[in-house]
């Protein structure tokens, strides 16, 4: 049939068809060549943009590096450090001539003192608080509240009361920080901890100084360890490999594995058949500590664990013999929520119970026969255990020990053996004196601080000589006086050492503060001092600053080598940072004609400066720091009130309604978020904890699960409304926000439902099954987020829709005929758009749909292209990254109340973004031109160059700090939610475990830092109608680019083409040039916003640093000021990590959003 039709065509017509086909094919070849040329040009422009953007981020990263150097130098001088002497005590070399008939040097008889026991069983019940061991009737009145931990472990008190010669129970006071690793160092070496050790609690390093474990191994003793694997980090290779059983220590979700494992191996080990296989057995139970972390002390799980310990210890006492010493202790206590790490009374008040089947222990008075009712009476320092165990087991006292012998262990069953007590105090004091002499040779002590010690030592020696040379027999009173003299030396020495090791390196502190202050000034000048386009300056600042950084390091290294006494490390760091800042400052001075005043020139900048300055000054007061969460709420409420007051004065009814709505919503959201409260000890009784089920719990209440499901239902819909407001709910947004994001939120709700069910034992299934389900559920959420979420963001097109309408040529209203249609990204059939690059580059563009208007004559219709979402082209694309993709893992690691606070803050950020253009227009209405009237350009401007780069980043910084408190944290180590480390994991995995804890702790700063670019990108259109004369818009056929997100394009008329040509001749700039200038202006605003955000953190960090140094002798230094400084440094570090070094949202995220828009609308 086809051949028939072909034959019926006349030859002339066939020739014309062939010629037409040849002409069309030639045009296709030509258009393809033009498309390749446009693609190459667009690629060059893309590379140039990325390079400019990269240099901006590189310069900010350079500033961050300099700040990090300043923080490091300050840290080395501020956080307490102690010189560790490598000296070791020797069995044959006692610190002083022995008294009596005992000959030193025999490990079998006792090195310095006759040993009292052949073996020892040392049991650590982690977090055993002293009041856990005291019966309820002894602690208070019968009518006083009874907690679950009362009377659950009665064995200690019973034996110490009924058999005082066999056992004693005393408060055992820990030195802060009260973390297990630091406590084990003190319990084995007898030294004071330093605050910097707290940061190594995740991964301890081996103890190099002399300690009990090393002395036992040196003496040929076989040591078996069971339980907490922290011991193996501190003492690698010291334990019997065949009998030792370590267990993971940080899985606080697991209450039973470690305890059951220790019991399983400890009980058989103590049987007579295995008595020759070990000399010292160490069992470290973790169930009590984990029950506290997970549930709090006042919970049935705590009662069950204490009862289990009571039963096990009764078995242990039955199995040991008369020559075995049993020591049971807590390494620290726990606060009312079950946490620890700080220095509150509940955290430092542990318990010590020592037991022997033989009548060995004694008391010096009848009043001391019963254990104290509370930890304030007759407390022991934990380091006192070191000298006590060493002397009882016949090994040398570790060289660095500062503890004194425990009186009850040496006074004898009758309580009158003061001779033995005097001898052991003399030996211990002599070893401490020897240590002080060696320490003074290496590090010159403060003469004023240590001048009292030689006098007390000489007085003690004189008292010893006087007592022994007294006429007749040396009486018990003489021995008591001699013992008291050496005891006084031990007590005074410990006091002096605490003061001595609280010395600060003022040089390093000053260097750190100088760097931080100089960096702060540089940030002020960079963020607020330069007007106009600053993108070209980043190359100069970065390259020359980097050269100064490297040159300074080299100069500092040379000085460190050449000048004796200078530290190579600190000198290199200080000179490197200061030379870098000096070079940048010199370049600022060279460009001084471009510098403007950094003083506030508007209402918002004035309020921002005033509020942040007031907060930073407030850090000088401990009461301000204690109540910082409430103070931040006040300032955020103040900003909300001022924003409301400003917008209601606008002449536009639409602006007034929108501005008032979002200002009120912002204040409501902040107030709702503030309902999540975690009270610190100093806030009581004026604060009520709502974050957990109760003030004494570490678990969420079942009713709080409703919050997770409300978030899953409501949050995607709320975000959708903000996208619809700018016509941006198109492209991949409906799929990701409406489906994937919502699904992840429901999975999070399911995860926390299983968690609460496990806590409340709702299901009669094993805890391992529920843990496994939760673990895989959490891993699935992370996989969706970082897999599908990242892929969606990388490949998604701008959140716009493109519609084609055909309307009568006489009808200029395209909106009347519009039928909106949203389509996924596809291929365009327009060869013209490929060739000129005005609507699309070389990549595939958005497809269009055509709606025909009712018309009979095709010639009488006019095609129009309506694009929805162009007014928020960049912002809608980028905001998906921080407020959905990043928000998912941050919500997962938060408990339900934390999820509520974080979600409220996320919505508050969106309301702020909607307020920015309204506030910008309000600012323009307060500014008039020289003739006293506002111009039309001013009234229509929505450029966020002021509110988006000043008000918004400052408010985000305040929101970040506010959210830190509202996600269940305080500036105290005890508020760290360690259980977050095991949400997707069963055991510790580096680096994921610390990262999970950091994400839980600093979710607010991470989220707000990632959202900073939104203030520059939100409601920032592509700018079709911008530029001088709008020639670019006329050339593209733009009839309208409205603020509601719609843009109408049509084929330009002949007269419009002529007008466009004339305007381009006058303007002499092409639309492409203006778009390039618009992108550079975007990067300039981005730089100001990022620098302003960092500026607030720098100010707060500088303030806490200065006041911590100034108040370094303050009573509340390590309780208030130092933890707040450490929290600020860690938070700022997470901001650095989020924006630059880690996720790289400030570079990768922003760059991807800009490139996505340019791929569609051209470069």
């Amino acid at each position: 049939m086809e051949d028939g039709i072909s034959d019926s065509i006349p030859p002339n017509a066939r020739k014309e068809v062939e010629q037409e086909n040849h002409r069309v094919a030639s045009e296709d070849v030509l258009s393809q060549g033009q498309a390749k040329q446009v693609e190459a040009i667009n690629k060059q422009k893309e590379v140039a943009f990325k390079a400019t953007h990269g240099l901006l981020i590189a310069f900010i990263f350079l500033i961050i590096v300099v700040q990090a150097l300043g923080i490091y130098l300050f840290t080395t001088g501020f956080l307490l450090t102690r010189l560790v002497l490598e000296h070791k005590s020797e069995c044959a070399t006692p610190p002083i001539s022995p008294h009596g008939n005992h000959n030193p040097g025999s490990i079998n008889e006792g090195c310095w003192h006759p040993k009292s026991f052949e073996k020892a069983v040392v049991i650590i019940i982690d977090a055993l608080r002293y009041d856990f061991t005291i019966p309820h009737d002894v602690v208070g009145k019968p009518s006083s509240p009874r907690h679950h931990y009362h009377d659950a472990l009665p064995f200690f008190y019973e034996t110490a009361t009924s058999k005082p010669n066999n056992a004693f129970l005393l408060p055992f006071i820990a030195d802060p920080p009260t973390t297990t690793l630091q406590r084990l160092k003190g319990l084995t070496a007898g030294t004071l901890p330093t605050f910097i050790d707290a940061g190594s609690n995740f991964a301890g390093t081996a103890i190099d100084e002399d300690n009990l474990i090393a002395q036992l191994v040196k003496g040929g003793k076989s040591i078996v360890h069971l339980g907490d694997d922290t011991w193996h980090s501190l003492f690698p290779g010291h334990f019997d490999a065949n009998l030792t059983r370590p267990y993971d220590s940080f899985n606080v979700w697991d209450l039973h594995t470690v305890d059951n494992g220790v019991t399983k191996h400890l009980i058989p080990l103590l049987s007579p058949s295995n008595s020759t296989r070990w000399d010292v057995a160490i069992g470290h139970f973790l169930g009590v500590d984990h029950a506290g972390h997970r549930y709090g002390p006042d919970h049935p799980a705590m009662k069950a664990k204490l009862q289990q310990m009571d039963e096990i210890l009764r078995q242990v006492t039955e199995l040991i013999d008369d020559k075995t010493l049993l020591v049971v202790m807590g390494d620290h206590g726990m606060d009312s929520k079950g946490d620890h790490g700080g220095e509150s009374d509940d955290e430092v008040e542990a318990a010590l119970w020592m037991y022997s089947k033989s009548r060995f222990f004694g008391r010096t008075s009848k009043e001391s026969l019963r254990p104290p009712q509370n930890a304030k009476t007759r407390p022991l320092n934990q380091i006192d255990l070191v000298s006590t165990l060493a002397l009882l087991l016949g090994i040398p006292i570790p060289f660095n020990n500062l503890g004194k012998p425990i009186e009850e262990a040496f006074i004898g069953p009758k309580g009158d053996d003061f001779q033995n007590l005097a001898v052991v105090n003399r030996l211990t004091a002599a070893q401490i004196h020897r240590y002080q002499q060696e320490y003074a040779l290496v590090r010159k002590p403060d003469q004023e601080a240590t001048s009292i010690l030689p006098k007390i030592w000489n007085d003690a020696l004189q008292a010893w000589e006087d007592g022994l040379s007294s006429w007749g027999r040396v009486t018990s009173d003489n021995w008591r006086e001699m013992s008291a003299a050496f005891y006084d030396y031990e007590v005074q020495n410990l006091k002096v050492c605490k003061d001595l090791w609280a010395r600060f390196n003022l040089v390093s502190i000053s260097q750190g503060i100088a760097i931080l202050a100089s960096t702060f000034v540089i940030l002020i000048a960079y963020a607020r001092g330069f007007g106009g386009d600053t993108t070209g300056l980043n190359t100069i600042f970065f390259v020359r600053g980097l050269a100064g950084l490297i040159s300074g390091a080299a100069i500092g290294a040379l000085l460190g080598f050449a000048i004796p006494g200078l530290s190579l490390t600190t000198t290199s760091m200080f000179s490197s940072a200061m030379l870098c800042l000096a070079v940048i400052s010199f370049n600022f001075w060279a460009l001084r004609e471009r510098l403007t005043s950094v003083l506030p020139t508007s209402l918002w900048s004035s309020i921002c400066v005033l509020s942040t300055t007031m907060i930073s000054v407030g850090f000088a007061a401990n009461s301000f720091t204690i109540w910082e969460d409430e103070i931040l709420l006040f300032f955020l409420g103040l900003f909300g009130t001022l924003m409301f007051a400003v917008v209601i004065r606008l002449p536009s009814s639409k602006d007034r309604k929108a501005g008032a709505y979002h200002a009120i919503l912002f204040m409501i959201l902040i107030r709702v978020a503030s309902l999540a409260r975690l009270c610190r000890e100093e806030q009581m009784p004026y604060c009520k904890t709502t974050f957990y089920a109760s003030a004494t719990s570490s678990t969420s209440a079942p009713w709080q699960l409703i919050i997770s499901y409300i978030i899953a239902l409501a949050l995607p819909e709320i975000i959708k409304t903000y996208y619809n407001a700018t016509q941006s709910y198109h492209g991949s947004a409906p799929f990701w926000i409406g489906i994937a994001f919502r699904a992840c939120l429901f999975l999070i709700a399911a995860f926390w439902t299983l968690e609460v069910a496990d806590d409340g034992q709702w299901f009669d299934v094993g805890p391992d099954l529920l843990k496994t389900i939760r673990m895989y559920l959490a891993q699935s959420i992370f996989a969706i987020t970082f897999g599908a979420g990242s892929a969606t963001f990388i490949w998604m097109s701008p959140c716009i829709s493109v519609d084609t309408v055909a309307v009568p040529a006489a009808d200029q209203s395209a909106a009347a005929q519009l039928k909106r249609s949203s389509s996924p990204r596809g291929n365009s059939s327009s060869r013209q758009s490929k060739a000129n690059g005005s609507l699309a580059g070389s990549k595939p563009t958005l497809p269009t749909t055509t709606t025909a208007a009712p018309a009979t004559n095709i010639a009488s219709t006019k095609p129009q292209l309506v694009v929805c979402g162009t007014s928020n082209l960049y912002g809608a694309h980028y905001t998906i990254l921080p407020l959905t993709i990043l928000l998912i893992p941050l919500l997962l690691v938060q408990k339900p109340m934390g999820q509520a606070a974080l979600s409220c803050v996320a919505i508050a950020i969106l309301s702020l973004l909607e307020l920015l253009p309204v506030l910008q227009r309000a600012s323009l209405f307060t500014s008039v031109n020289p003739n006293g009237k506002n111009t039309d350009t001013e009234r229509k401007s929505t450029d966020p160059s002021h509110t988006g780069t000043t008000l918004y980043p400052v408010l985000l910084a305040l929101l970040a700090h506010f959210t830190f408190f509202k996600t269940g944290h305080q500036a105290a180590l005890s508020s760290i939610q360690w259980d977050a480390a095991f949400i997707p994991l069963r055991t510790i995995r580096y680096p994921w475990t610390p990262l999970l804890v950091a994400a839980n702790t600093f979710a607010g700063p991470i989220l707000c830092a990632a959202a900073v670019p939104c203030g520059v990108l939100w409601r920032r259109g592509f700018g079709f109608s911008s530029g001088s004369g709008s020639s670019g818009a006329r050339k593209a056929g733009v009839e309208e680019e409205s603020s509601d997100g719609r843009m109408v394009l049509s084929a330009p008329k002949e007269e419009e083409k002529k007008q466009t040509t004339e305007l381009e001749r006058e303007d002499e700039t092409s639309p492409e040039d203006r778009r390039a200038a618009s992108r550079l202006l975007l990067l300039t605003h981005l730089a100001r916003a990022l620098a302003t955000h960092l500026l607030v953190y720098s100010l707060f960090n500088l303030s806490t640093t200065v006041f911590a140094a100034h108040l370094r002798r303050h009573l509340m230094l390590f309780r208030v000021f130092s933890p707040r400084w450490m929290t600020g440094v860690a938070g700022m570090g997470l901001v650095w990590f989020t924006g630059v070094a880690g996720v790289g949202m400030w570079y990768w995220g922003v760059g991807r959003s800009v490139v996505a828009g340019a791929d569609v609308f051209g470069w």
Side-chain angles (χ1 to χ4, degrees), residues 323-510:
K323 285 298 183 180
T324 301
L325 173 67
L326 176 59
V327 181
V328 183
M329 71 186 104
D331 56 343
H332 50 74
M334 65 175 67
D335 63 14
S336 60
K337 306 184 309 301
D339 298 321
H340 56 89
E343 57 177 337
S344 66
D345 289 345
D346 285 343
E347 293 172 272
V348 302
E349 293 173 352
L352 173 67
W353 181 75
M354 296 183 71
Y355 175 83
S356 171
K357 279 195 171 180
S358 60
R359 291 171 53 85
F360 182 79
F361 303 112
R363 313 290 192 278
T364 56
S365 64
K366 292 182 179 180
E367 292 78 12
S368 59
L369 286 175
R370 301 177 69 87
Q373 293 184 359
N374 55 65
K376 301 298 186 294
T377 306
R378 293 160 44 210
L380 297 174
N381 291 316
Q382 287 195 351
I383 58 175
D384 294 346
L385 181 67
V386 175
S387 58
T388 302
L389 283 182
L391 293 170
L392 291 177
L393 296 177
I395 61 175
I397 300 173
F399 192 87
N400 297 340
N401 168 71
L402 298 175
K404 60 187 182 297
I406 297 175
E407 181 181 271
E408 284 78 359
F410 298 99
I411 197 63
K414 296 181 180 180
D416 58 358
D417 194 353
F418 287 101
Q419 177 179 353
N420 187 42
L421 187 62
V423 170
V424 295
N425 272 319
R426 177 172 174 264
L427 281 170
T428 305
Q431 174 54 43
I432 293 174
H433 181 65
R434 179 164 64 177
Y435 166 73
Q436 288 288 13
Q437 287 180 316
E438 294 296 331
Y439 194 89
L441 294 176
V442 180
R443 177 173 291 180
K444 299 297 181 181
D446 186 346
Q447 295 297 326
E448 182 179 355
T450 59
S451 60
I452 190 176
L453 292 180
K455 182 179 183 303
I456 299 176
W457 173 249
N458 292 329
D459 291 343
L461 291 178
Q462 189 62 47
W464 177 267
E465 294 177 2
D466 293 343
L468 292 180
S469 62
S470 60
W471 293 97
R473 179 175 174 269
V474 181
T475 64
S476 178
D477 291 338
N478 295 136
W479 289 115
R480 185 195 292 263
E481 292 174 0
M482 287 185 278
S483 176
F486 288 108
Y487 177 88
D488 184 49
Y489 175 79
E490 294 162 350
V491 172
Q492 291 298 325
N493 178 81
L494 182 60
K495 180 180 178 181
V496 169
C497 285
K498 287 183 177 181
D499 294 336
L500 185 65
W501 290 335
R503 285 193 313 167
F504 302 89
N505 187 333
L506 296 182
V507 174
S508 294
I509 288 176
S510 301

Side-chain angles (χ1 to χ4, degrees), residues 2 278 295 502 645 678 721-722 755 765 823 835 951 974 1010 1025 1153:
E2 292 179 358
W278 60 275
Y295 301 108
L678 177 68
T721 61
Y722 286 92
E755 169 63 21
V765 297
S823 304
L951 174 64
S974 59
S1025 57
S1153 296

Side-chain angles (χ1 to χ4, degrees), residues 651-672:
S652 169
S653 175
K654 181 180 179 181
D655 283 343
R656 285 200 307 271
K657 291 179 180 179
Y661 168 76
H662 288 293
I664 294 173
L665 181 59
F666 175 81
M667 290 187 284
I668 292 175
L669 290 168
I670 297 305
R671 178 58 63 176
V672 172

Side-chain angles (χ1 to χ4, degrees), residues 615 619 622-634 680 683 961-962 964-965 970-971 1100 1124:
I615 293 174
F619 288 125
N622 59 309
S623 57
F624 180 96
T625 305
I626 291 170
W627 291 98
E628 184 181 357
D629 52 347
E630 296 300 308
I631 294 169
L632 286 170
L633 175 62
F634 165 77
R680 57 187 296 163
Q683 293 177 330
H961 288 80
F962 174 77
F964 166 79
F965 294 104
Q970 287 283 349
F1100 289 173
R1124 179 59 185 87

Side-chain angles (χ1 to χ4, degrees), residues 19-37:
Q19 290 176 349
E20 177 65 18
N21 290 338
H22 179 71
R23 184 183 63 81
V24 171
S26 299
E27 289 182 356
D28 286 339
V29 173
L30 179 62
S31 64
Q32 291 175 4
Q34 291 175 335
K36 290 182 180 180
Q37 183 180 4

